[in-house]
Amino acid sequence: MSETDEKLQKGIIELEKGNDKKAFGYFKDVFKDRQERLLKKVQDNPKSPTLMLDALYMIHALVWLRVAEAGKERGRALELMGQAVGTVEAARTALGPLVSGLAQWAQEKNIKAVYNKARGLLAATTDLEDMAKKALEAQRKMK
């Protein structure tokens, strides 16, 4: 597990504990790391078919960042949770078909690592969207 993935896990654990401020710090680091990684990969190989995987990883980090920020800034929680839901919905709509196509291509070419990452990211996107929508609905009921 990479250092960035460890930070993501720590952020999720802190979020579950109710330590939104600490979780926000972890998620902010994860987002910045993934953003820098994506930009570097684009510069190094702008035609790489796996760039969309890195873009989806970065978007996941942004969604987690918004969720933690909503817990940290209670006055803007509804707005921030709405942003989180909108972000993950846009990612699923825009990148979902591309990542599915990449998974199919990787399966045809027998590139298991890319296939597994793509399928895992699609499943994680669905789970993240469900979680964000439930959190948004809970936030609406609190208002």
Side-chain angles (χ1 to χ4, degrees):
M1 182 180 288
S2 73
E3 184 180 327
T4 302
D5 291 337
E6 286 179 20
K7 285 181 185 177
L8 181 67
Q9 289 288 66
K10 287 178 182 178
I12 292 170
I13 290 167
E14 291 301 326
L15 201 59
E16 289 173 351
K17 289 180 182 177
N19 298 332
D20 298 313
K21 190 173 183 178
K22 202 170 188 180
F24 180 81
Y26 283 121
F27 294 140
K28 188 174 180 181
D29 288 346
V30 170
F31 176 72
K32 285 182 180 181
D33 290 346
R34 289 186 173 171
Q35 185 179 36
E36 287 172 13
R37 180 180 174 179
L38 176 61
L39 292 173
K40 183 175 178 354
K41 283 183 97 173
V42 168
Q43 289 173 346
D44 293 347
N45 187 2
K47 295 181 181 181
S48 173
T50 61
L51 287 175
M52 66 190 85
L53 299 179
D54 291 299
L56 198 50
Y57 276 126
M58 186 190 72
I59 292 169
H60 283 199
L62 179 60
V63 171
W64 281 112
L65 183 64
R66 291 293 170 247
V67 169
E69 189 176 17
K72 196 177 84 149
E73 296 183 28
R74 302 277 184 209
R76 296 183 50 220
L78 191 59
E79 171 194 348
L80 292 165
M81 286 307 303
Q83 288 177 3
V85 169
T87 299
V88 75
E89 285 177 342
R92 181 185 44 78
T93 303
L95 290 175
L98 297 172
V99 173
S100 290
L102 178 64
Q104 183 178 351
W105 172 83
Q107 186 176 31
E108 290 168 3
K109 299 290 183 182
N110 201 25
I111 306 171
K112 292 204 181 288
V114 172
Y115 174 78
N116 290 338
K117 276 187 182 181
R119 299 303 302 165
L121 267 171
L122 290 170
T125 302
T126 300
D127 292 346
L128 191 56
E129 182 178 19
D130 291 344
M131 182 275 307
K133 283 182 176 179
K134 287 177 185 172
L136 176 61
E137 190 57 36
Q139 202 56 240
R140 283 185 179 141
K141 288 180 181 177
M142 291 173 66
K143 290 284 176 175

